[in-house]
Amino acid sequence: MRRRIALPKHFVQKLPGTGCRFRDRFPSTSASPRCFVNRQSPRIVLPNTLNRMKVAAAQISCSLGDSKTNLLKVRDFSREARDSGAELIVFPEMTDTGYSMSVIEAHANSWTRGFVPGLQEIAAKLSIAIVCGVSERDGTSIYNSLVFVDQQGQIAAKYRKTHLYAVTPVEEERCFASGDAFSSFALGNLRFGFSICYDLRFPEMYRKLTVEQNTGAFIISSAWPFPRIEHFRTLIHARAIENQSYVIASNRVGKDGDLWFCGSSAIIDPRGVAVASASADREELIQADLSDDLVLSVRSRVESLVHRRQDLY
């Protein structure tokens, strides 16, 4: 069952073009969270092709340190996505433990037991591919990782977060070791590039994935906080537009400790159009059809990737 996340009164920001307000760290008002809106995206007509794949992004809250409860939520959202025809579902950052450094240090596991084998079982039983943000304990190190489990329940690809959010009071570097490589995977006729939350602020990463690994879609799994909600919205559109690629952004809602998450998950097409979008305060499942033909069409009309001045930068 979906539930609205009650937000603290000091989170307030007027939503342009409406009479409602999203909450953020701005001067307090009496705006009620019940006036939040889920704006409808325009209807997008894809090229007349069979090369389409439905994907889903799950916008969820998590239970801190309770991987069993979080896994049940993954199962329920995955079943709903599969029942509607989705071949891939994406979950937020640190879905297994929640986003708290002390909790992650206490509960992070290797992928041979616990949460990840549970993901594999869900994927195989439902025949749906899953990308999920998880902790990864490897020897004495812990990584903020993404795992891709294919429709047969096999771990087919992974990514360790390369840009750690080293800002007080979070300071990820105190908990995590950083990854040292970018990663992508193929599904259907598209190649998907991995990224996690703070990676979104580094456009070089997405350009490198585009030109060196031939990605046509980016996965952004995040626990992005409310004070920078407009940064999140702007940057996911920018990464799609500048690389003429899809973006599938799955962000958290709810709170872990004193940290509130801003939702606003979205699927953006290669033209920069939001073809599916979620609210800032509710658990939701959003879905959209992807087409590699649309990626090729957009890139052939405006050949900005070809026009790069590699002699200058």
Side-chain angles (χ1 to χ4, degrees):
M1 182 177 69
R2 304 291 179 269
R3 61 189 182 91
R4 186 185 296 274
I5 306 299
L7 301 175
K9 291 183 178 180
H10 62 273
F11 282 111
V12 178
Q13 181 185 11
K14 190 169 183 180
L15 175 62
T18 77
C20 294
R21 297 173 183 271
F22 283 117
R23 298 182 173 206
D24 207 336
R25 290 192 182 277
F26 286 86
S28 177
T29 77
S30 59
S32 165
R34 293 187 179 278
C35 75
F36 282 17
V37 295
N38 184 10
R39 292 174 289 179
Q40 295 296 315
S41 301
R43 183 173 181 269
I44 303 298
V45 179
L46 294 175
N48 185 19
T49 175
L50 296 177
N51 296 329
R52 299 185 190 181
M53 172 175 51
K54 178 175 281 189
V55 301
Q59 177 169 287
I60 62 172
S61 63
C62 294
S63 298
L64 267 178
D66 189 348
S67 62
K68 291 182 179 179
T69 296
N70 295 331
L71 189 63
L72 289 175
K73 188 170 290 187
V74 168
R75 180 201 64 189
D76 292 345
F77 273 78
S78 297
R79 180 182 292 121
E80 182 177 343
R82 180 69 260 186
D83 288 347
S84 65
E87 298 177 47
L88 169 70
I89 183 169
V90 179
F91 287 92
E93 181 180 17
M94 286 293 144
T95 294
D96 60 335
T97 60
Y99 189 79
S100 164
M101 299 306 106
S102 60
V103 172
I104 294 165
E105 286 180 314
H107 293 277
N109 275 322
S110 73
W111 289 0
T112 59
R113 59 190 177 91
F115 192 85
V116 172
L119 285 180
Q120 293 179 265
E121 183 178 345
I122 291 168
K125 184 174 181 178
L126 298 177
S127 190
I128 187 171
I130 299 173
V131 172
C132 191
V134 291
S135 61
E136 180 189 2
R137 191 180 292 275
D138 185 2
T140 59
S141 297
I142 299 173
Y143 295 92
N144 184 338
S145 296
L146 280 175
V147 61
F148 168 56
V149 181
D150 66 21
Q151 292 166 311
Q152 290 73 48
Q154 300 300 310
I155 297 175
K158 63 185 287 186
Y159 166 69
R160 292 169 168 173
K161 190 174 185 180
T162 50
H163 301 97
L164 299 182
Y165 187 70
V167 180
T168 305
V170 176
E171 298 177 316
E172 285 187 338
E173 80 283 0
R174 292 177 178 267
C175 177
F176 298 121
S178 61
D180 58 7
F182 302 150
S183 181
S184 62
F185 65 91
L187 186 65
N189 292 312
L190 276 171
R191 178 163 285 278
F192 295 77
F194 289 116
S195 62
I196 302 174
C197 204
Y198 190 49
D199 286 334
L200 188 54
R201 293 187 179 273
F202 300 88
E204 302 90 344
M205 172 180 178
Y206 296 85
R207 181 52 54 86
K208 200 173 181 72
L209 281 166
T210 301
V211 300
E212 293 186 5
Q213 299 192 29
N214 194 31
T215 58
F218 300 121
I219 286 172
I220 300 167
S221 176
S222 61
W224 199 279
F226 250 103
R228 290 171 289 282
I229 184 173
E230 292 304 332
H231 294 198
F232 181 75
R233 292 191 185 127
T234 300
L235 291 172
I236 61 176
H237 279 83
R239 299 297 87 88
I241 293 167
E242 67 198 7
N243 294 291
Q244 300 169 310
S245 298
Y246 285 101
V247 162
I248 303 98
S250 172
N251 192 37
R252 281 279 312 278
V253 286
K255 68 187 291 284
D256 289 343
D258 295 327
L259 193 61
W260 288 85
F261 306 107
C262 66
S264 307
S265 301
I267 300 174
I268 316 295
D269 82 1
R271 297 168 292 190
V273 176
V275 292
S277 58
S279 66
D281 69 326
R282 291 186 299 276
E283 293 188 316
E284 296 183 53
L285 183 72
I286 59 172
Q287 303 175 76
D289 288 325
L290 275 54
S291 165
D292 65 307
D293 285 347
L294 183 58
V295 175
L296 296 173
S297 174
V298 171
R299 290 180 179 179
S300 66
R301 289 175 180 167
V302 180
E303 296 183 317
S304 57
L305 295 174
V306 176
H307 298 156
R308 290 175 302 123
R309 286 291 305 275
Q310 297 185 68
D311 57 321
L312 298 179
Y313 51 79

